[in-house]
Every structure is written in C-alpha cells, then in structure tokens.
Amino acid sequence: MRFGRHRECGPREERGPNGLSLLPWTFMCLGALSHLISGEAANPWLGALGLLVFNTLYLAVVFRALAPSHRDTPVTWALLGALAAVTFALAIGYGREWLLLFPLLGLAVGAVTRGRRRLRFLALPLVAAVGGVTFWRDGWDSAGIVYGTFVSIMVTTAILALNDTVRELRATREELARAAVEKERLRFSRDLHDLLGHTLSVIVVKSEAARRLAPHDLDGALGQIADIEAVGRQALTEIREAVTGYREGSLGTELDRARDALGSAAVEPVVRRSGPPLEPAAEALLGWVVREAATNVVRHAAATRCEIVVASAPERVRLTVTDNGRGTAAGPSGSGLRGLAERLAAAGGTLTTARPPGGGFRLTAELPAAPGAAESPAPGGR
C-alpha cells in the first residue's frame, strides 16, 4: 500500500454475485415447458400456472438471498418454503422433465443456506426427500437428478460462502489500510509539529539575541543571524527526512542543539552523560525527549539554569531534565509530553514530571537500553 496514492473516499461498492448470476439456470425449466407445449401434460393450464409460480418464487428467493440485507430474513425463508412446496407438488404431479426443477430448488437453497449447521439440518433431508420422489416417479433412470440437486446445493453454498469471505477480507484489508494511513498521518503531524516548534523557538530566541546585540556588537549579531540560517537549513533537511519516514534521532546531536538553544535564550546549560553507548532506538527516543524538554524550557520555563543528565546502564537508561524556572503541574499534560509518554510506554519505558523541592520543573524518562518497539515520537509543547 503506497500511502501517497491512497485516495480519500467512502467504502468501495463491492461487486459480487447477484440474482442475475443464477438467472441462466432457469433454462432447466425448458423441459417442463416442452412437456406442456407438446400436450402430453395433464391439466396443462394448471401446470403452466405452477411453472409461472415456480419461476417467480425462484427469482424472488435468489435475488433476496444474494442481497446481504435480505438474505437471512423471515420473508426470504417463507419464500424458500413456498418454492419447495411448489417444486415438490409439480414433481409429484407430473414427474419426468419436471424433476429437473429439483436442481433449481437446490440452487435456491444453497444461496440462502451458507452455514454448516444449516446444511446439516436442511440440505441432507431435502436431498433425501428429492431422492424419494425421483425414484418413485421415474425409478433409477433419474438418479442423476438426486446427485445434481445435492451438487447444486453444495457448490452454490461453497461459492457464495467463499465470496462472502473474500468480501470480508477485502473490507478488513481496506480498514487496515485506512488505519495505517491514519497512523502515518499521526506520525508525520507529530514530527512536523515538533520540528517546527523547536526550530521556530530557536529562531525566535536567536532573533531576539541578534536584535539586542545589533546596536553595540554587530559581529555578535551577525553570528546569531548566521546561526539562524544554519538552523533553518537544518530544519529543512529534517522536514524532508520526516516526510520520507527515515528520520533517525541522535542523542549527541540533540544534546548539542539543546545546549546551543538554551545558551541563546540566556539559560545556563549543564549537560552530563555517563554509562555505556546506547542502542540506536534508545538514542532516537531520548533525542526526542531532549528536544521536547529543551523547547519547553526555552518557551515556557523562564529559567536561568537547565541541567540535562543522561545515565545509562546495561539494562536501563535514565534521562533527567531539570530547570529552575516557574515550573508546572506534575504529570505529562501537554500534547508533546503525552506523545512522548505514549512512545516511551510502547518501548517499555516511562515518562514522569515533577516539581523539585526548590522549585522549577523536572522531567524524567526511563526506558530499556534496547527498546523493543521504538518509534520516532513527535510531540509539541507541554
């Protein structure tokens, strides 16, 4: 499934067998019609009326049986019962060519009956009754009628049941495709939200720094403007990578970016990292946590100091981001932190927030050193 080619549309109309699919089999009535026209049948007008009623009931049953909303209704079963009664009455009364109506009855029964339990309680007794009438009226010469009735029931049931299964599988496949598209959209929207939020925050901070420096330190202002250009170019690259789905986060790179963004916002960055190297999946997840936490500090904290500590062990790794700003209520409350919490939980980790005793805000992320299911979360602001 190529997501780029997915079209937004309603459920596709399923084209399967309908009543017209079983209409050609009514040619089996030509034998009975020939018997009437030849003048060999007793009470030809009664036989003609019976044949007309038979065909009318047959068409009504098969058209209803192949319409999912009408197949398993009392009206359909009543019409099937009437069809069976007319068929047996004509076969008993006329015999010979009229016995060919039994396979048509079998087609109608197979169209309505598509479950093993129903087959056991309806099809087998019906075939037995057909056999009794056939052997009574025409002896062993018409044994093929019994076999044809049995086959028409079983084959029709099997084909229509298979068609129902294919239709359900197709509907399930389309539902899975829609779910995959929604998941991809969610991933992309989160990535884009986080990338733009972080980048714009850094650009705003550096623009303010350049404005402050411009009157008395032109070189410093130009340096900030150069940083803005570099951040913009990097953001373009990251957005392209996010669109293609190949963006991989690097914890070291995110720590460097966080240090730079915090410093530009007049927040003293303190970064400590200890322990063995991490798996790429863990690095990617923690990189997103660092990005989100640094963005939140720059945007909301009004802090003067931010400490980022990464402590990894062979089994688990912990990332703590603490600032001395105005703090916030404990608990991952924003869309960005909620998204991080969901992604870390999917990888077997946790995300907690708290207010340290001395004030400020602390975010703690823990996860296995080798996460089992890490996706690139893309949160927004807290």
mmCIF file with all atom_site columns, all heavy atoms in Angstrom, residues 106-128:
data_model
loop_
_atom_site.group_PDB
_atom_site.id
_atom_site.type_symbol
_atom_site.label_atom_id
_atom_site.label_alt_id
_atom_site.label_comp_id
_atom_site.label_asym_id
_atom_site.label_entity_id
_atom_site.label_seq_id
_atom_site.pdbx_PDB_ins_code
_atom_site.Cartn_x
_atom_site.Cartn_y
_atom_site.Cartn_z
_atom_site.occupancy
_atom_site.B_iso_or_equiv
_atom_site.pdbx_formal_charge
_atom_site.auth_seq_id
_atom_site.auth_comp_id
_atom_site.auth_asym_id
_atom_site.auth_atom_id
_atom_site.pdbx_PDB_model_num
ATOM 1   N N   . GLY A 1 106 ? -32.354 -26.698 -5.452  1.00 0.00 ? 106 GLY A N   1
ATOM 2   C CA  . GLY A 1 106 ? -31.079 -26.824 -4.747  1.00 0.00 ? 106 GLY A CA  1
ATOM 3   C C   . GLY A 1 106 ? -30.252 -25.546 -4.842  1.00 0.00 ? 106 GLY A C   1
ATOM 4   O O   . GLY A 1 106 ? -29.607 -25.140 -3.859  1.00 0.00 ? 106 GLY A O   1
ATOM 5   N N   . LEU A 1 107 ? -30.250 -24.896 -6.022  1.00 0.00 ? 107 LEU A N   1
ATOM 6   C CA  . LEU A 1 107 ? -29.539 -23.623 -6.150  1.00 0.00 ? 107 LEU A CA  1
ATOM 7   C C   . LEU A 1 107 ? -30.106 -22.578 -5.196  1.00 0.00 ? 107 LEU A C   1
ATOM 8   O O   . LEU A 1 107 ? -29.350 -21.831 -4.554  1.00 0.00 ? 107 LEU A O   1
ATOM 9   C CB  . LEU A 1 107 ? -29.635 -23.121 -7.588  1.00 0.00 ? 107 LEU A CB  1
ATOM 10  C CG  . LEU A 1 107 ? -28.863 -23.904 -8.661  1.00 0.00 ? 107 LEU A CG  1
ATOM 11  C CD1 . LEU A 1 107 ? -29.190 -23.352 -10.044 1.00 0.00 ? 107 LEU A CD1 1
ATOM 12  C CD2 . LEU A 1 107 ? -27.372 -23.830 -8.403  1.00 0.00 ? 107 LEU A CD2 1
ATOM 13  N N   . ALA A 1 108 ? -31.430 -22.510 -5.109  1.00 0.00 ? 108 ALA A N   1
ATOM 14  C CA  . ALA A 1 108 ? -32.044 -21.530 -4.215  1.00 0.00 ? 108 ALA A CA  1
ATOM 15  C C   . ALA A 1 108 ? -31.728 -21.831 -2.759  1.00 0.00 ? 108 ALA A C   1
ATOM 16  O O   . ALA A 1 108 ? -31.412 -20.931 -1.968  1.00 0.00 ? 108 ALA A O   1
ATOM 17  C CB  . ALA A 1 108 ? -33.561 -21.501 -4.442  1.00 0.00 ? 108 ALA A CB  1
ATOM 18  N N   . VAL A 1 109 ? -31.773 -23.120 -2.400  1.00 0.00 ? 109 VAL A N   1
ATOM 19  C CA  . VAL A 1 109 ? -31.446 -23.497 -1.022  1.00 0.00 ? 109 VAL A CA  1
ATOM 20  C C   . VAL A 1 109 ? -29.985 -23.166 -0.706  1.00 0.00 ? 109 VAL A C   1
ATOM 21  O O   . VAL A 1 109 ? -29.668 -22.649 0.366   1.00 0.00 ? 109 VAL A O   1
ATOM 22  C CB  . VAL A 1 109 ? -31.729 -24.997 -0.801  1.00 0.00 ? 109 VAL A CB  1
ATOM 23  C CG1 . VAL A 1 109 ? -31.184 -25.471 0.539   1.00 0.00 ? 109 VAL A CG1 1
ATOM 24  C CG2 . VAL A 1 109 ? -33.233 -25.264 -0.876  1.00 0.00 ? 109 VAL A CG2 1
ATOM 25  N N   . GLY A 1 110 ? -29.084 -23.464 -1.648  1.00 0.00 ? 110 GLY A N   1
ATOM 26  C CA  . GLY A 1 110 ? -27.670 -23.158 -1.423  1.00 0.00 ? 110 GLY A CA  1
ATOM 27  C C   . GLY A 1 110 ? -27.414 -21.676 -1.304  1.00 0.00 ? 110 GLY A C   1
ATOM 28  O O   . GLY A 1 110 ? -26.521 -21.243 -0.556  1.00 0.00 ? 110 GLY A O   1
ATOM 29  N N   . ALA A 1 111 ? -28.178 -20.853 -2.029  1.00 0.00 ? 111 ALA A N   1
ATOM 30  C CA  . ALA A 1 111 ? -27.988 -19.408 -1.949  1.00 0.00 ? 111 ALA A CA  1
ATOM 31  C C   . ALA A 1 111 ? -28.413 -18.855 -0.596  1.00 0.00 ? 111 ALA A C   1
ATOM 32  O O   . ALA A 1 111 ? -27.823 -17.899 -0.090  1.00 0.00 ? 111 ALA A O   1
ATOM 33  C CB  . ALA A 1 111 ? -28.773 -18.718 -3.065  1.00 0.00 ? 111 ALA A CB  1
ATOM 34  N N   . VAL A 1 112 ? -29.440 -19.455 0.002   1.00 0.00 ? 112 VAL A N   1
ATOM 35  C CA  . VAL A 1 112 ? -29.927 -18.982 1.292   1.00 0.00 ? 112 VAL A CA  1
ATOM 36  C C   . VAL A 1 112 ? -29.150 -19.612 2.439   1.00 0.00 ? 112 VAL A C   1
ATOM 37  O O   . VAL A 1 112 ? -28.859 -18.969 3.450   1.00 0.00 ? 112 VAL A O   1
ATOM 38  C CB  . VAL A 1 112 ? -31.439 -19.279 1.436   1.00 0.00 ? 112 VAL A CB  1
ATOM 39  C CG1 . VAL A 1 112 ? -31.941 -18.857 2.815   1.00 0.00 ? 112 VAL A CG1 1
ATOM 40  C CG2 . VAL A 1 112 ? -32.217 -18.572 0.341   1.00 0.00 ? 112 VAL A CG2 1
ATOM 41  N N   . THR A 1 113 ? -28.798 -20.892 2.278   1.00 0.00 ? 113 THR A N   1
ATOM 42  C CA  . THR A 1 113 ? -28.153 -21.650 3.354   1.00 0.00 ? 113 THR A CA  1
ATOM 43  C C   . THR A 1 113 ? -26.650 -21.666 3.133   1.00 0.00 ? 113 THR A C   1
ATOM 44  O O   . THR A 1 113 ? -26.173 -22.300 2.199   1.00 0.00 ? 113 THR A O   1
ATOM 45  C CB  . THR A 1 113 ? -28.680 -23.097 3.378   1.00 0.00 ? 113 THR A CB  1
ATOM 46  O OG1 . THR A 1 113 ? -30.104 -23.066 3.400   1.00 0.00 ? 113 THR A OG1 1
ATOM 47  C CG2 . THR A 1 113 ? -28.172 -23.829 4.601   1.00 0.00 ? 113 THR A CG2 1
ATOM 48  N N   . ARG A 1 114 ? -25.880 -21.006 4.012   1.00 0.00 ? 114 ARG A N   1
ATOM 49  C CA  . ARG A 1 114 ? -24.430 -20.940 3.833   1.00 0.00 ? 114 ARG A CA  1
ATOM 50  C C   . ARG A 1 114 ? -23.665 -21.331 5.085   1.00 0.00 ? 114 ARG A C   1
ATOM 51  O O   . ARG A 1 114 ? -22.492 -21.040 5.207   1.00 0.00 ? 114 ARG A O   1
ATOM 52  C CB  . ARG A 1 114 ? -24.012 -19.531 3.426   1.00 0.00 ? 114 ARG A CB  1
ATOM 53  C CG  . ARG A 1 114 ? -24.719 -19.045 2.177   1.00 0.00 ? 114 ARG A CG  1
ATOM 54  C CD  . ARG A 1 114 ? -24.215 -17.690 1.761   1.00 0.00 ? 114 ARG A CD  1
ATOM 55  N NE  . ARG A 1 114 ? -25.123 -17.060 0.824   1.00 0.00 ? 114 ARG A NE  1
ATOM 56  C CZ  . ARG A 1 114 ? -24.965 -15.845 0.329   1.00 0.00 ? 114 ARG A CZ  1
ATOM 57  N NH1 . ARG A 1 114 ? -23.911 -15.138 0.686   1.00 0.00 ? 114 ARG A NH1 1
ATOM 58  N NH2 . ARG A 1 114 ? -25.842 -15.335 -0.511  1.00 0.00 ? 114 ARG A NH2 1
ATOM 59  N N   . GLY A 1 115 ? -24.309 -21.982 6.020   1.00 0.00 ? 115 GLY A N   1
ATOM 60  C CA  . GLY A 1 115 ? -23.630 -22.418 7.235   1.00 0.00 ? 115 GLY A CA  1
ATOM 61  C C   . GLY A 1 115 ? -23.676 -23.918 7.374   1.00 0.00 ? 115 GLY A C   1
ATOM 62  O O   . GLY A 1 115 ? -24.610 -24.577 6.921   1.00 0.00 ? 115 GLY A O   1
ATOM 63  N N   . ARG A 1 116 ? -22.640 -24.487 8.026   1.00 0.00 ? 116 ARG A N   1
ATOM 64  C CA  . ARG A 1 116 ? -22.581 -25.951 8.169   1.00 0.00 ? 116 ARG A CA  1
ATOM 65  C C   . ARG A 1 116 ? -23.776 -26.488 8.933   1.00 0.00 ? 116 ARG A C   1
ATOM 66  O O   . ARG A 1 116 ? -24.315 -27.533 8.605   1.00 0.00 ? 116 ARG A O   1
ATOM 67  C CB  . ARG A 1 116 ? -21.287 -26.322 8.885   1.00 0.00 ? 116 ARG A CB  1
ATOM 68  C CG  . ARG A 1 116 ? -20.027 -26.018 8.080   1.00 0.00 ? 116 ARG A CG  1
ATOM 69  C CD  . ARG A 1 116 ? -18.800 -26.432 8.849   1.00 0.00 ? 116 ARG A CD  1
ATOM 70  N NE  . ARG A 1 116 ? -17.583 -26.158 8.089   1.00 0.00 ? 116 ARG A NE  1
ATOM 71  C CZ  . ARG A 1 116 ? -16.360 -26.400 8.531   1.00 0.00 ? 116 ARG A CZ  1
ATOM 72  N NH1 . ARG A 1 116 ? -16.189 -26.904 9.731   1.00 0.00 ? 116 ARG A NH1 1
ATOM 73  N NH2 . ARG A 1 116 ? -15.317 -26.125 7.778   1.00 0.00 ? 116 ARG A NH2 1
ATOM 74  N N   . ARG A 1 117 ? -24.186 -25.764 9.957   1.00 0.00 ? 117 ARG A N   1
ATOM 75  C CA  . ARG A 1 117 ? -25.297 -26.245 10.764  1.00 0.00 ? 117 ARG A CA  1
ATOM 76  C C   . ARG A 1 117 ? -26.588 -26.274 9.939   1.00 0.00 ? 117 ARG A C   1
ATOM 77  O O   . ARG A 1 117 ? -27.359 -27.225 10.000  1.00 0.00 ? 117 ARG A O   1
ATOM 78  C CB  . ARG A 1 117 ? -25.460 -25.337 11.978  1.00 0.00 ? 117 ARG A CB  1
ATOM 79  C CG  . ARG A 1 117 ? -26.492 -25.830 12.967  1.00 0.00 ? 117 ARG A CG  1
ATOM 80  C CD  . ARG A 1 117 ? -26.491 -24.969 14.228  1.00 0.00 ? 117 ARG A CD  1
ATOM 81  N NE  . ARG A 1 117 ? -27.446 -25.450 15.190  1.00 0.00 ? 117 ARG A NE  1
ATOM 82  C CZ  . ARG A 1 117 ? -27.643 -24.899 16.386  1.00 0.00 ? 117 ARG A CZ  1
ATOM 83  N NH1 . ARG A 1 117 ? -26.917 -23.856 16.736  1.00 0.00 ? 117 ARG A NH1 1
ATOM 84  N NH2 . ARG A 1 117 ? -28.545 -25.394 17.210  1.00 0.00 ? 117 ARG A NH2 1
ATOM 85  N N   . ARG A 1 118 ? -26.801 -25.243 9.169   1.00 0.00 ? 118 ARG A N   1
ATOM 86  C CA  . ARG A 1 118 ? -27.994 -25.199 8.332   1.00 0.00 ? 118 ARG A CA  1
ATOM 87  C C   . ARG A 1 118 ? -27.955 -26.268 7.257   1.00 0.00 ? 118 ARG A C   1
ATOM 88  O O   . ARG A 1 118 ? -28.970 -26.869 6.917   1.00 0.00 ? 118 ARG A O   1
ATOM 89  C CB  . ARG A 1 118 ? -28.120 -23.813 7.692   1.00 0.00 ? 118 ARG A CB  1
ATOM 90  C CG  . ARG A 1 118 ? -28.522 -22.728 8.677   1.00 0.00 ? 118 ARG A CG  1
ATOM 91  C CD  . ARG A 1 118 ? -28.567 -21.384 8.013   1.00 0.00 ? 118 ARG A CD  1
ATOM 92  N NE  . ARG A 1 118 ? -29.059 -20.354 8.904   1.00 0.00 ? 118 ARG A NE  1
ATOM 93  C CZ  . ARG A 1 118 ? -29.127 -19.060 8.584   1.00 0.00 ? 118 ARG A CZ  1
ATOM 94  N NH1 . ARG A 1 118 ? -28.707 -18.672 7.384   1.00 0.00 ? 118 ARG A NH1 1
ATOM 95  N NH2 . ARG A 1 118 ? -29.587 -18.185 9.435   1.00 0.00 ? 118 ARG A NH2 1
ATOM 96  N N   . LEU A 1 119 ? -26.769 -26.488 6.695   1.00 0.00 ? 119 LEU A N   1
ATOM 97  C CA  . LEU A 1 119 ? -26.646 -27.547 5.688   1.00 0.00 ? 119 LEU A CA  1
ATOM 98  C C   . LEU A 1 119 ? -27.027 -28.899 6.273   1.00 0.00 ? 119 LEU A C   1
ATOM 99  O O   . LEU A 1 119 ? -27.711 -29.706 5.643   1.00 0.00 ? 119 LEU A O   1
ATOM 100 C CB  . LEU A 1 119 ? -25.217 -27.590 5.144   1.00 0.00 ? 119 LEU A CB  1
ATOM 101 C CG  . LEU A 1 119 ? -24.850 -26.544 4.093   1.00 0.00 ? 119 LEU A CG  1
ATOM 102 C CD1 . LEU A 1 119 ? -23.389 -26.678 3.729   1.00 0.00 ? 119 LEU A CD1 1
ATOM 103 C CD2 . LEU A 1 119 ? -25.713 -26.706 2.855   1.00 0.00 ? 119 LEU A CD2 1
ATOM 104 N N   . ARG A 1 120 ? -26.578 -29.145 7.484   1.00 0.00 ? 120 ARG A N   1
ATOM 105 C CA  . ARG A 1 120 ? -26.839 -30.443 8.096   1.00 0.00 ? 120 ARG A CA  1
ATOM 106 C C   . ARG A 1 120 ? -28.323 -30.654 8.363   1.00 0.00 ? 120 ARG A C   1
ATOM 107 O O   . ARG A 1 120 ? -28.849 -31.758 8.195   1.00 0.00 ? 120 ARG A O   1
ATOM 108 C CB  . ARG A 1 120 ? -26.031 -30.557 9.402   1.00 0.00 ? 120 ARG A CB  1
ATOM 109 C CG  . ARG A 1 120 ? -26.166 -31.914 10.082  1.00 0.00 ? 120 ARG A CG  1
ATOM 110 C CD  . ARG A 1 120 ? -25.168 -32.072 11.209  1.00 0.00 ? 120 ARG A CD  1
ATOM 111 N NE  . ARG A 1 120 ? -25.382 -31.127 12.296  1.00 0.00 ? 120 ARG A NE  1
ATOM 112 C CZ  . ARG A 1 120 ? -24.587 -30.112 12.581  1.00 0.00 ? 120 ARG A CZ  1
ATOM 113 N NH1 . ARG A 1 120 ? -23.511 -29.881 11.835  1.00 0.00 ? 120 ARG A NH1 1
ATOM 114 N NH2 . ARG A 1 120 ? -24.832 -29.302 13.596  1.00 0.00 ? 120 ARG A NH2 1
ATOM 115 N N   . PHE A 1 121 ? -28.998 -29.593 8.789   1.00 0.00 ? 121 PHE A N   1
ATOM 116 C CA  . PHE A 1 121 ? -30.403 -29.754 9.173   1.00 0.00 ? 121 PHE A CA  1
ATOM 117 C C   . PHE A 1 121 ? -31.381 -29.489 8.027   1.00 0.00 ? 121 PHE A C   1
ATOM 118 O O   . PHE A 1 121 ? -32.566 -29.791 8.165   1.00 0.00 ? 121 PHE A O   1
ATOM 119 C CB  . PHE A 1 121 ? -30.741 -28.806 10.336  1.00 0.00 ? 121 PHE A CB  1
ATOM 120 C CG  . PHE A 1 121 ? -30.141 -29.232 11.643  1.00 0.00 ? 121 PHE A CG  1
ATOM 121 C CD1 . PHE A 1 121 ? -29.025 -28.581 12.146  1.00 0.00 ? 121 PHE A CD1 1
ATOM 122 C CD2 . PHE A 1 121 ? -30.664 -30.295 12.357  1.00 0.00 ? 121 PHE A CD2 1
ATOM 123 C CE1 . PHE A 1 121 ? -28.466 -28.965 13.351  1.00 0.00 ? 121 PHE A CE1 1
ATOM 124 C CE2 . PHE A 1 121 ? -30.117 -30.694 13.562  1.00 0.00 ? 121 PHE A CE2 1
ATOM 125 C CZ  . PHE A 1 121 ? -29.007 -30.029 14.066  1.00 0.00 ? 121 PHE A CZ  1
ATOM 126 N N   . LEU A 1 122 ? -30.908 -28.957 6.900   1.00 0.00 ? 122 LEU A N   1
ATOM 127 C CA  . LEU A 1 122 ? -31.820 -28.643 5.819   1.00 0.00 ? 122 LEU A CA  1
ATOM 128 C C   . LEU A 1 122 ? -31.459 -29.354 4.517   1.00 0.00 ? 122 LEU A C   1
ATOM 129 O O   . LEU A 1 122 ? -32.319 -29.975 3.880   1.00 0.00 ? 122 LEU A O   1
ATOM 130 C CB  . LEU A 1 122 ? -31.838 -27.123 5.580   1.00 0.00 ? 122 LEU A CB  1
ATOM 131 C CG  . LEU A 1 122 ? -32.785 -26.617 4.488   1.00 0.00 ? 122 LEU A CG  1
ATOM 132 C CD1 . LEU A 1 122 ? -34.228 -26.992 4.817   1.00 0.00 ? 122 LEU A CD1 1
ATOM 133 C CD2 . LEU A 1 122 ? -32.640 -25.111 4.329   1.00 0.00 ? 122 LEU A CD2 1
ATOM 134 N N   . ALA A 1 123 ? -30.207 -29.298 4.120   1.00 0.00 ? 123 ALA A N   1
ATOM 135 C CA  . ALA A 1 123 ? -29.813 -29.822 2.816   1.00 0.00 ? 123 ALA A CA  1
ATOM 136 C C   . ALA A 1 123 ? -29.959 -31.342 2.742   1.00 0.00 ? 123 ALA A C   1
ATOM 137 O O   . ALA A 1 123 ? -30.517 -31.879 1.769   1.00 0.00 ? 123 ALA A O   1
ATOM 138 C CB  . ALA A 1 123 ? -28.371 -29.404 2.498   1.00 0.00 ? 123 ALA A CB  1
ATOM 139 N N   . LEU A 1 124 ? -29.450 -32.050 3.732   1.00 0.00 ? 124 LEU A N   1
ATOM 140 C CA  . LEU A 1 124 ? -29.484 -33.515 3.678   1.00 0.00 ? 124 LEU A CA  1
ATOM 141 C C   . LEU A 1 124 ? -30.915 -34.063 3.692   1.00 0.00 ? 124 LEU A C   1
ATOM 142 O O   . LEU A 1 124 ? -31.245 -34.942 2.882   1.00 0.00 ? 124 LEU A O   1
ATOM 143 C CB  . LEU A 1 124 ? -28.653 -34.098 4.820   1.00 0.00 ? 124 LEU A CB  1
ATOM 144 C CG  . LEU A 1 124 ? -27.144 -33.781 4.746   1.00 0.00 ? 124 LEU A CG  1
ATOM 145 C CD1 . LEU A 1 124 ? -26.416 -34.412 5.917   1.00 0.00 ? 124 LEU A CD1 1
ATOM 146 C CD2 . LEU A 1 124 ? -26.570 -34.265 3.420   1.00 0.00 ? 124 LEU A CD2 1
ATOM 147 N N   . PRO A 1 125 ? -31.810 -33.578 4.573   1.00 0.00 ? 125 PRO A N   1
ATOM 148 C CA  . PRO A 1 125 ? -33.205 -34.052 4.484   1.00 0.00 ? 125 PRO A CA  1
ATOM 149 C C   . PRO A 1 125 ? -33.855 -33.712 3.146   1.00 0.00 ? 125 PRO A C   1
ATOM 150 O O   . PRO A 1 125 ? -34.652 -34.497 2.622   1.00 0.00 ? 125 PRO A O   1
ATOM 151 C CB  . PRO A 1 125 ? -33.897 -33.315 5.643   1.00 0.00 ? 125 PRO A CB  1
ATOM 152 C CG  . PRO A 1 125 ? -32.810 -33.023 6.605   1.00 0.00 ? 125 PRO A CG  1
ATOM 153 C CD  . PRO A 1 125 ? -31.615 -32.736 5.768   1.00 0.00 ? 125 PRO A CD  1
ATOM 154 N N   . LEU A 1 126 ? -33.507 -32.542 2.593   1.00 0.00 ? 126 LEU A N   1
ATOM 155 C CA  . LEU A 1 126 ? -34.083 -32.160 1.307   1.00 0.00 ? 126 LEU A CA  1
ATOM 156 C C   . LEU A 1 126 ? -33.644 -33.122 0.211   1.00 0.00 ? 126 LEU A C   1
ATOM 157 O O   . LEU A 1 126 ? -34.469 -33.579 -0.602  1.00 0.00 ? 126 LEU A O   1
ATOM 158 C CB  . LEU A 1 126 ? -33.661 -30.728 0.954   1.00 0.00 ? 126 LEU A CB  1
ATOM 159 C CG  . LEU A 1 126 ? -34.105 -30.227 -0.422  1.00 0.00 ? 126 LEU A CG  1
ATOM 160 C CD1 . LEU A 1 126 ? -35.630 -30.178 -0.503  1.00 0.00 ? 126 LEU A CD1 1
ATOM 161 C CD2 . LEU A 1 126 ? -33.500 -28.864 -0.720  1.00 0.00 ? 126 LEU A CD2 1
ATOM 162 N N   . VAL A 1 127 ? -32.348 -33.467 0.180   1.00 0.00 ? 127 VAL A N   1
ATOM 163 C CA  . VAL A 1 127 ? -31.844 -34.394 -0.837  1.00 0.00 ? 127 VAL A CA  1
ATOM 164 C C   . VAL A 1 127 ? -32.502 -35.766 -0.672  1.00 0.00 ? 127 VAL A C   1
ATOM 165 O O   . VAL A 1 127 ? -32.842 -36.433 -1.666  1.00 0.00 ? 127 VAL A O   1
ATOM 166 C CB  . VAL A 1 127 ? -30.312 -34.495 -0.762  1.00 0.00 ? 127 VAL A CB  1
ATOM 167 C CG1 . VAL A 1 127 ? -29.786 -35.599 -1.668  1.00 0.00 ? 127 VAL A CG1 1
ATOM 168 C CG2 . VAL A 1 127 ? -29.678 -33.154 -1.144  1.00 0.00 ? 127 VAL A CG2 1
ATOM 169 N N   . ALA A 1 128 ? -32.702 -36.183 0.570   1.00 0.00 ? 128 ALA A N   1
ATOM 170 C CA  . ALA A 1 128 ? -33.361 -37.467 0.808   1.00 0.00 ? 128 ALA A CA  1
ATOM 171 C C   . ALA A 1 128 ? -34.798 -37.448 0.280   1.00 0.00 ? 128 ALA A C   1
ATOM 172 O O   . ALA A 1 128 ? -35.263 -38.421 -0.352  1.00 0.00 ? 128 ALA A O   1
ATOM 173 C CB  . ALA A 1 128 ? -33.342 -37.786 2.304   1.00 0.00 ? 128 ALA A CB  1
#
